[in-house]
Amino acid sequence: MKHTGLISPFRRREAEKAAMSIEKTRPPHGGHGEQGITVLLKRMRDAVAQDSSAQERLDLLTKVIASHVVADVCSIYLRRPDDQLELYSTEGLNRTAVHKTRMNWGEGLVGLVAKRHVPLVTSEAPKHPSFSYRPETGEDPLQSFLGVPLIRSGKTLGVLVVQNKAAREYTHEEIEAAQAVATLLAEIAASGELLSQEETEAVGAMLHLPEKLKGFGIVSGIALGKAVFLQPPTPKHRVFAKNPAEEAARLEEGLNDLRQSVDDMLSSNAALSGVSREVLETYRLFAYDRGWKDRLRAAVFSGLTAESAVEQVKAENRARMSQSRDPYLRERLHDLDDLSNRLLRHLSGEKNLGQRPLYDETILFARTMGPAELLEYDRKRLKGLVLGEVSATSHVAIVARALKLPMVSGAPDAMEQTEEGDQAVIDGDVGDIHIRPSAETLEAFRNKQTRYHELEASYAAEKSLPSRTKDGVDITIQMNAGLALDLPFLEQTGAAGVGLFRTELQFLIGSQLPSVASQEALYSEALDLAGGKPVVFRTADIGGDKTAAYMEHGNEVNPAMGWRGLRMALDRPGMIRPQLRALLSAAAGRTLWVMFPFVTLPGEVDEIRGLLDREVERAKRHQKELPADIKIGAMIETPASAWRADLIAEKVDFLSIGGNDLAQFYFAADRDSERVQRRYDPMNAGFLSFLRHTVEKVSRTGTPLSYCGEQSADPVTAAALIGVGVRQFSLPAAFIGPFRRLVRSIDSKSVSDWLEARFVEPHVTLRPALAQFLKDSGASAE
Ligand code: PEP
Ligand code: MG
């Protein structure tokens, strides 16, 4: 298979490095031939296939493992419904201790492994602070201990323990072999192929216990619904196969189907919607990787079903790559997991990997998701979102906020802990995710949701009150929008207009560039729905994380700092001119407010004005009616434009600070990365003083300035922005009510003075201190 040149050379090198690294770290027993772990898995299969009692089979299994890893002792502890870990089988300890010895969760080395969820290795077990001596087991002379958790669906089901009398170091290969065995043991325990029916049911119940996970609230609000995965879950399957040759043939067929589907996706532009081409190119590298296939085949020939072989190799890759220090390699884990899951679905004969059907009330779970993908789902059914790692200012979050979809991110185990169809509740205010909540929890959240709606109603009741601070400063409140369906919120919130209409959303949703007619239709509909209130149309800000499937974006290593916004417009007049044409005719006879994104240098404003003038001339030549007035604005989103904001201000009718991008570039912290976003709070004294400096510069020119970054949705940051002198805001509809209440409760002068005294402070964030100050002075958004 020849690869096309669509993946960037840099990414390709990195992906190849990832594939090679999986190869390099492959244990000697993982390759071809019937040796090492392959033999062990085969013997385990034979043990499980015995026609004997569950206990006898388990004991035989323990014996097989003990002899393979040359251990004096090998024991299997299983978790009981009361969370105790019971010794179920042992080779080497006193047999009378079986079903008698029990450890509490977190107690002793076994309990610690279960609680921490990770392997524990020590050559001096009795000296370990958590060591707990159990005389009935007769483990006195044992020095070395290797314990590995049996994990299934993110839950510890038990612990596999290997012990030796001598103080010895377990090798890397031995630890990996133990992990491979533990993965398989967990699978067998859950599959019903080993334990009694009653015990299997107990394991099943354990996998379905309620869970509360902690993430970050990205879009506030409460949502209840059933879990659906953007990537469908892997179907149920048996662990061991009767006929390895048949399984190998199934595996071959599944792999061929998988490779074909990845090739198809790459060659078909339409099918690419929402999935970045680069990710697929990386998929393809992995899908065709020889080493992956070899290991899958080896696992099948050890007696596993093709599905179990995929799970087994997936777990091995996980164990190795998750320890890598290289973040790129760790990231590739997702690709490998996704690819493995796709292969499992091909094995089950499921071919349709497209949009997922939703329940009447659905919480959608995904590792990542693009803004366009989100818009494809039925919003009546979609109630909330749980995403892997996205930050509050990523575009998928912005769209979710516009749709009032509560969203939580940053809970890495969320998908492991959940099964499709599980009841879920998310609390976007605090970032909690409840999986399979108890009836009481569910009831409590239904009540909270009702109170939430009541609070919203109370904000709506205040929509006509003046947004004036206690010391008499008027603050203009506008709304951010991007879709026609946002416009009714103007009336509901009492916003003074739309301060930022993100026109690119229309470009991102479709499978081709929108026609001039459809653009014009959207803009005039928005103006009609606004009923005379101003709507500031921001020209398409495409690039960065906003990629359209039908456009060639190139392969930039840093797309956020790449060819995007105004840069793309100036280089591609063929795209911006039709948009300007659509805007001019949509606003015929009315005022057109048009704003340009990502201005970096003052001269760029002259260039774009030149293009607009040409369109005006063209319209005149065609005797088209023109807008009654045209107001031109520029966004201040880069430190370069903030620094020269006064010069830019001289060239335009208004300015708007795009704080999402400005903060990203001020801190050099990717707005899409929750990990770095957590470090840099816009409530940092440096950033706030930088903003104040910019506001002052602009105010000397007399050009109106607003702030349309999403940060003003947070009341403490909003107060600080008022404190640095911002007098006009544009923010998501959902936050306008609280924002107005906050404005009406603060004294802007006292906040300014408070900040002034703290601008020199080196603190990472002024948030807690300002929150306290606001509280003490009676200011609140609630
Ligand atoms: C911003 O950067 O703050 C902004 C409003 O633009 P966007 O979020 O669409 O990049
Ligand atoms: Mg921006």
Side-chain angles (χ1 to χ4, degrees):
M1 172 73 217
K2 194 172 175 310
H3 297 292
T4 62
L6 294 167
I7 189 168
S8 72
F10 171 77
R11 287 287 180 225
R12 179 197 294 278
R13 256 194 331 274
E14 292 293 300
E16 281 168 355
K17 196 171 97 192
M20 264 161 49
S21 142
I22 305 165
E23 274 304 282
K24 252 197 302 202
T25 51
R26 192 170 96 186
H29 52 253
H32 318 269
E34 299 188 349
Q35 38 169 303
I37 203 162
T38 311
V39 174
L40 172 60
L41 296 181
K42 229 177 196 171
R43 290 171 62 197
M44 285 176 71
R45 179 199 54 180
D46 294 343
V48 172
Q50 293 288 315
D51 192 12
S52 51
S53 73
Q55 185 66 49
E56 283 164 346
R57 280 183 286 156
L58 192 58
D59 290 345
L60 186 56
L61 202 53
T62 316
K63 199 183 249 180
V64 164
I65 302 167
S67 76
H68 181 85
V69 293
V70 200
D72 296 318
V73 168
C74 175
S75 314
I76 296 171
Y77 290 81
L78 290 180
R79 181 176 175 179
R80 305 289 309 159
D82 59 2
D83 275 353
Q84 287 204 322
L85 293 151
E86 179 176 316
L87 180 63
Y88 254 69
S89 175
T90 183
E91 178 67 18
L93 294 182
N94 288 342
R95 294 201 53 80
T96 49
V98 171
H99 296 302
K100 292 217 172 58
T101 295
R102 288 187 176 189
M103 314 292 279
N104 287 323
W105 200 248
E107 181 198 354
L109 300 184
V110 172
L112 197 62
V113 171
K115 186 175 164 191
R116 285 200 191 149
H117 228 57
V118 287
L120 179 91
V121 193
T122 170
S123 57
E124 294 184 321
K127 289 195 187 152
H128 192 286
S130 291
F131 182 75
S132 158
Y133 176 58
R134 289 303 174 88
E136 76 277 12
T137 61
E139 64 179 338
D140 317 47
L142 296 166
Q143 291 297 319
S144 311
F145 175 100
L146 162 61
V148 186
L150 314 185
I151 297 177
R152 172 88 186 166
S153 300
K155 295 210 175 47
T156 299
L157 297 186
V159 179
L160 169 70
V161 176
V162 168
Q163 289 169 285
N164 281 81
K165 288 181 190 142
R168 54 162 299 213
E169 303 288 340
Y170 293 101
T171 64
H172 189 61
E173 280 73 28
E174 283 170 321
I175 298 170
E176 280 194 350
Q179 279 181 310
V181 168
T183 304
L184 197 56
L185 276 175
E187 253 209 282
I188 310 172
S191 73
E193 287 174 65
L194 181 67
L195 304 174
S196 67
Q197 193 186 339
E198 190 190 329
E199 283 158 344
T200 306
E201 277 167 13
V203 168
M206 220 160 344
L207 292 175
H208 290 94
L209 289 174
E211 282 297 334
K212 179 179 165 191
L213 307 171
K214 193 84 199 136
F216 304 98
I218 300 288
V219 179
S220 63
I222 309 281
L224 297 86
K226 292 205 165 131
V228 169
F229 293 166
L230 185 66
Q231 301 289 342
T234 54
K236 292 216 182 326
H237 56 83
R238 286 188 67 76
V239 179
F240 293 112
K242 295 208 169 56
N243 185 339
E246 244 172 44
E247 287 304 303
R250 286 186 61 229
L251 176 69
E252 188 71 34
E253 202 181 315
L255 269 173
N256 287 341
D257 282 356
L258 170 76
R259 290 169 173 182
Q260 186 62 50
S261 75
V262 175
D263 288 346
D264 287 351
M265 272 193 276
L266 265 166
S267 56
S268 131
N269 263 344
L272 264 179
S273 164
V275 186
S276 101
R277 183 166 276 274
E278 209 156 83
V279 168
L280 284 179
E281 282 287 356
T282 313
Y283 272 11
R284 176 146 72 179
L285 275 174
F286 285 135
Y288 281 88
D289 182 55
R290 180 85 217 155
W292 188 47
K293 181 175 175 182
D294 285 348
R295 280 183 299 141
L296 290 169
R297 278 178 62 81
V300 158
F301 280 109
S302 73
L304 300 185
T305 55
E307 288 88 347
S308 258
V310 177
E311 296 278 16
Q312 184 72 24
V313 173
K314 182 168 116 180
E316 283 173 25
N317 285 338
R318 272 201 153 264
R320 267 171 239 132
M321 286 176 82
S322 60
Q323 279 157 20
S324 166
R325 293 231 179 116
D326 183 340
Y328 183 79
L329 279 187
R330 285 202 309 271
E331 273 300 309
R332 296 285 66 75
L333 251 184
H334 292 326
D335 296 345
L336 270 173
D337 277 1
D338 283 351
L339 199 66
S340 302
N341 293 342
R342 275 176 184 272
L343 178 53
L344 285 170
R345 295 203 303 280
H346 279 289
L347 284 168
S348 74
E350 188 189 327
K351 300 275 154 83
N352 178 14
L353 308 179
Q355 214 192 72
R356 305 300 323 286
L358 304 186
Y359 295 98
D360 285 350
E361 293 190 323
T362 297
I363 308 280
L364 194 62
F365 285 64
R367 287 197 208 289
T368 55
M369 193 173 194
E373 237 173 329
L374 177 54
L375 286 164
E376 282 165 12
Y377 279 91
D378 176 357
R379 277 188 303 282
K380 286 207 188 72
R381 291 166 177 257
L382 187 56
K383 301 293 176 194
L385 278 175
V386 176
L387 294 193
E389 274 240 341
V390 297
S391 75
T393 55
S394 64
H395 285 99
V396 67
I398 287 169
V399 172
R401 206 167 286 128
L403 302 177
K404 294 199 165 193
L405 267 182
M407 171 168 156
V408 174
S409 150
D413 276 351
M415 292 179 77
E416 274 76 38
Q417 302 271 18
T418 312
E419 275 190 34
E420 274 222 342
D422 278 350
Q423 177 68 47
V425 174
I426 62 174
D427 184 338
D429 292 336
V430 293
D432 287 347
I433 306 167
H434 297 262
I435 313 291
R436 302 172 291 273
S438 64
E440 296 76 39
T441 309
L442 206 56
E443 183 59 22
F445 274 99
R446 283 206 193 280
N447 291 339
K448 194 167 171 187
Q449 200 176 36
T450 309
R451 286 198 302 279
Y452 210 88
H453 292 322
E454 284 166 3
L455 192 61
E456 279 198 329
S458 77
Y459 288 132
E462 292 172 8
K463 69 176 186 180
S464 307
L465 297 179
S467 47
R468 184 171 301 140
T469 63
K470 284 208 300 207
D471 52 339
V473 175
D474 282 321
I475 305 288
T476 305
I477 310 177
Q478 294 187 316
M479 186 183 97
N480 289 349
L483 304 163
L485 58 92
D486 291 326
L487 271 302
F489 292 126
L490 262 186
E491 163 59 22
Q492 287 170 30
T493 59
V498 175
L500 168 67
F501 190 97
R502 290 184 166 97
T503 61
E504 62 274 7
L505 290 184
Q506 188 189 23
F507 286 68
L508 300 180
I509 301 166
S511 57
Q512 58 188 29
L513 204 66
S515 64
V516 177
S518 64
Q519 291 182 53
E520 186 186 332
L522 171 65
Y523 308 148
S524 56
E525 185 185 1
L527 287 170
D528 292 346
L529 289 168
K533 289 182 179 175
V535 178
V536 177
F537 292 102
R538 197 246 323 252
T539 57
D541 182 17
I542 295 181
D545 64 333
K546 293 180 274 197
T547 52
Y550 52 86
M551 276 176 60
E552 178 57 81
H553 290 277
N555 292 304
E556 296 176 310
V557 175
N558 284 313
M561 294 195 283
W563 196 54
R564 56 171 289 197
L566 188 58
R567 300 165 182 185
M568 192 187 271
L570 292 175
D571 288 353
R572 279 271 174 90
M575 200 181 99
I576 186 73
R577 285 188 59 183
Q579 183 172 31
L580 295 174
R581 206 171 300 157
L583 285 166
L584 287 171
S585 31
R590 321 187 239 201
T591 300
L592 170 64
W593 296 78
V594 56
M595 177 161 78
F596 299 104
F598 219 67
V599 173
T600 309
L601 302 174
E604 290 169 347
V605 176
D606 300 326
E607 284 186 64
I608 193 69
R609 189 185 274 276
L611 289 180
L612 180 63
D613 288 346
R614 283 172 65 181
E615 280 310 312
V616 171
E617 288 312 314
R618 185 181 181 279
K620 281 185 188 158
R621 271 200 315 277
H622 288 84
Q623 271 124 36
K624 295 241 166 112
E625 189 189 1
L626 283 167
D629 194 5
I630 302 178
K631 302 274 189 204
I632 293 184
M635 288 193 73
I636 302 296
E637 303 185 89
T638 62
S641 58
W643 188 246
R644 308 285 269 178
D646 45 351
L647 298 187
I648 297 174
E650 305 285 359
K651 295 176 180 289
V652 293
D653 300 301
F654 66 98
L655 289 175
S656 189
I657 295 179
N660 305 330
D661 274 314
L662 188 57
Q664 137 165 284
F665 296 115
Y666 176 87
F667 294 111
D670 187 345
R671 63 191 269 187
D672 276 322
S673 163
E674 181 59 44
R675 196 174 294 165
V676 291
Q677 282 299 309
R678 258 177 260 156
R679 268 173 198 268
Y680 306 104
D681 188 345
M683 285 297 300
N684 168 280
F687 184 60
L688 290 173
S689 60
F690 174 63
L691 287 176
R692 188 198 51 173
H693 177 81
T694 308
V695 171
E696 278 178 4
K697 252 185 187 175
V698 175
S699 72
R700 283 198 290 272
T701 68
T703 305
L705 171 78
S706 76
Y707 193 99
C708 62
E710 309 277 313
Q711 293 101 348
S712 58
D714 164 62
V716 179
T717 313
L721 291 171
I722 293 172
V724 300
V726 181
R727 296 292 176 258
Q728 184 170 338
F729 290 83
S730 188
L731 65 161
F735 298 95
I736 290 180
F739 183 88
R740 182 183 289 104
R741 203 173 281 178
L742 173 85
V743 166
R744 293 173 53 77
S745 70
I746 64 170
D747 181 282
S748 71
K749 173 81 169 57
S750 72
V751 177
S752 293
D753 292 347
W754 186 94
L755 282 173
E756 191 64 36
R758 282 161 186 83
F759 276 153
V760 288
E761 290 192 11
H763 297 308
V764 174
T765 175
L766 297 175
R767 179 177 301 279
L770 182 58
Q772 191 59 48
F773 175 77
L774 292 172
K775 194 169 170 215
D776 294 346
S777 53
S780 168
E782 285 174 7

